[in-house]
Amino acid sequence: MPVLFFATPQRNVAPARLGRRVLVAFCACALALYGATACGGAERPSARTAVANVAAADEAASGLLDDFGQPIDLRRTPTRVISLNPTTTEIIYALGAQSRLIGRSHWDKWPAAAISKPDLGDGIRPNVEQLIAARPDLVILYATDSNRDAAARLAHADISTLSLRIDSVHDFDRATRMLGRVLGDSATGAIVADSVNRSLARVRVATQPLPHPTTVWRLADRPPMVVGGGSFMSELLEDAGARNLYAHLSQPSPVVAIEDVVIRNPDVVIIGGDMGASSTSLGAWNSVPAVTKGSVVSVSSDLVARPSVQMGAAAAALARALHPGLVLR
């Protein structure tokens, strides 16, 4: 299945930090104007070059890094963006910056309007030559080790990259605020992130006093794969008023033995709506008592397949399925 595939609001520069910038810039300009002949007569940089170097050094000192640990350049607002991550593509639309999007991955299909953007292939180990040919000034990658080579090759071609690993609700919040900042609209980034957080909190408050059934969220059959504690989907379960029996596993989608699922005996088994709930489609899962009893909850994969601006709606759908009759205000 596709990958169920950070960022602090922009702050005012403190007076002390501003003073440091002015002082360092003044010193750099002085060096540029008067040269460094005492140090061996090296060629003197221009004052403009010196100031640019100070700005670059100061930006690096801010410590704003992507998930590959690479500094993020905020000096230029990108106008030609390729997003190879379904979550970041959806965030770009939520920010209202879709006019800058010139390409997406094969898996980026949300919102529906994104399908009209050029499909540039897979988001993992992408075709770097094809990306370069599109002439982007920013490529957004999913931060997995398989994409490190692509990030390095794009950097070598003087194309900026932003690599983000978005597996949790916190990751989504951070990525949304960061993308707002990178795209020159921190305010909208904060608005989108805060709106998702509020919608999740509304569901969490409504389900808090209710009994929390134990659940296992089935992702695949061969091998049996479930939602682990490292996934935003486990957080959605908690917000929806349930307990994930595999929340103690740090991986987003660990492989487990079906015998272990039987032993843990969940109250409910959750499946994606496109995976079917009939006995013929559940295979080995038919040995799980909850399946035998019909305690199977189906949710739309389009709604829950990625950490997105739809997470509040996803949590609400789960809550209603797990707690029939629940009213959300």
Side-chain angles (χ1 to χ4, degrees):
M1 65 187 301
V3 177
L4 303 178
F5 358 134
F6 16 40
T8 307
Q10 194 168 5
R11 298 174 294 180
N12 294 327
V13 178
R17 182 176 175 83
L18 183 59
R20 170 187 170 278
R21 288 185 176 181
V22 173
L23 177 60
V24 174
F26 174 80
C27 292
C29 289
L31 284 173
L33 290 171
Y34 293 108
T37 55
C39 298
E43 183 180 355
R44 295 184 303 177
S46 68
R48 180 179 297 177
T49 300
V51 172
N53 289 341
V54 169
D58 193 64
E59 185 60 53
S62 70
L64 190 61
L65 307 173
D66 71 6
D67 288 344
F68 278 165
Q70 297 302 309
I72 297 171
D73 188 354
L74 296 177
R75 292 168 298 174
R76 296 177 299 174
T77 300
T79 59
R80 294 180 59 81
V81 180
I82 293 174
S83 171
L84 300 180
N85 183 329
T87 292
T88 55
T89 296
E90 193 166 358
I91 292 172
I92 288 171
Y93 273 85
L95 295 174
Q98 60 269 25
S99 62
R100 305 187 206 177
L101 190 65
I102 63 168
R104 60 176 177 90
S105 88
H106 177 68
W107 303 108
D108 300 19
K109 300 177 180 179
W110 303 277
I115 299 176
S116 66
K117 299 293 183 178
D119 183 343
L120 298 180
D122 209 336
I124 306 297
R125 300 187 186 91
N127 184 327
V128 175
E129 289 76 14
Q130 186 177 20
L131 300 182
I132 294 173
R135 297 181 294 107
D137 51 18
L138 176 67
V139 176
I140 305 172
L141 298 167
Y142 181 69
T144 178
D145 284 342
S146 297
N147 279 342
R148 287 187 181 274
D149 178 67
R153 292 171 62 190
L154 289 166
H156 184 73
D158 199 28
I159 296 173
S160 296
T161 62
L162 177 61
S163 300
L164 299 171
R165 188 176 185 97
I166 309 175
D167 291 332
S168 68
V169 174
H170 172 73
D171 291 340
F172 171 85
D173 181 90
R174 191 163 172 247
T176 302
R177 296 178 194 276
M178 176 172 286
L179 278 170
R181 188 170 178 183
V182 168
L183 296 174
D185 194 352
S186 296
T188 302
I191 289 171
V192 172
D194 289 342
S195 175
V196 173
N197 289 332
R198 284 195 300 270
S199 63
L200 289 171
R202 180 172 66 98
V203 177
R204 188 163 56 248
V205 168
T207 60
Q208 188 173 13
L210 303 176
H212 283 40
T214 58
T215 61
V216 171
W217 195 327
R218 161 201 181 240
L219 296 177
D221 290 338
R222 299 180 182 178
M225 187 179 295
V226 300
V227 169
S231 171
F232 73 97
M233 298 165 84
S234 187
E235 297 177 87
L236 293 184
L237 280 176
E238 294 176 9
D239 290 339
R243 288 195 300 119
N244 178 11
L245 288 179
Y246 287 100
H248 63 287
L249 299 181
S250 61
Q251 306 99 308
S253 50
V255 173
V256 300
I258 200 69
E259 293 80 7
D260 189 65
V261 179
V262 172
I263 291 172
R264 292 179 183 275
N265 192 21
D267 296 321
V268 178
V269 170
I270 298 174
I271 64 172
D274 58 348
M275 299 178 73
S278 67
S279 59
T280 56
S281 65
L282 288 175
W285 288 80
N286 282 312
S287 60
V288 179
V291 175
T292 304
K293 294 183 293 186
S295 296
V296 177
V297 166
S298 177
V299 292
S300 168
S301 293
D302 278 353
L303 194 59
V304 301
R306 66 214 174 279
S308 76
V309 295
Q310 298 293 319
M311 283 192 293
L318 278 168
R320 293 188 180 100
L322 290 164
H323 305 283
L326 176 67
V327 177
L328 293 173
R329 295 182 173 83

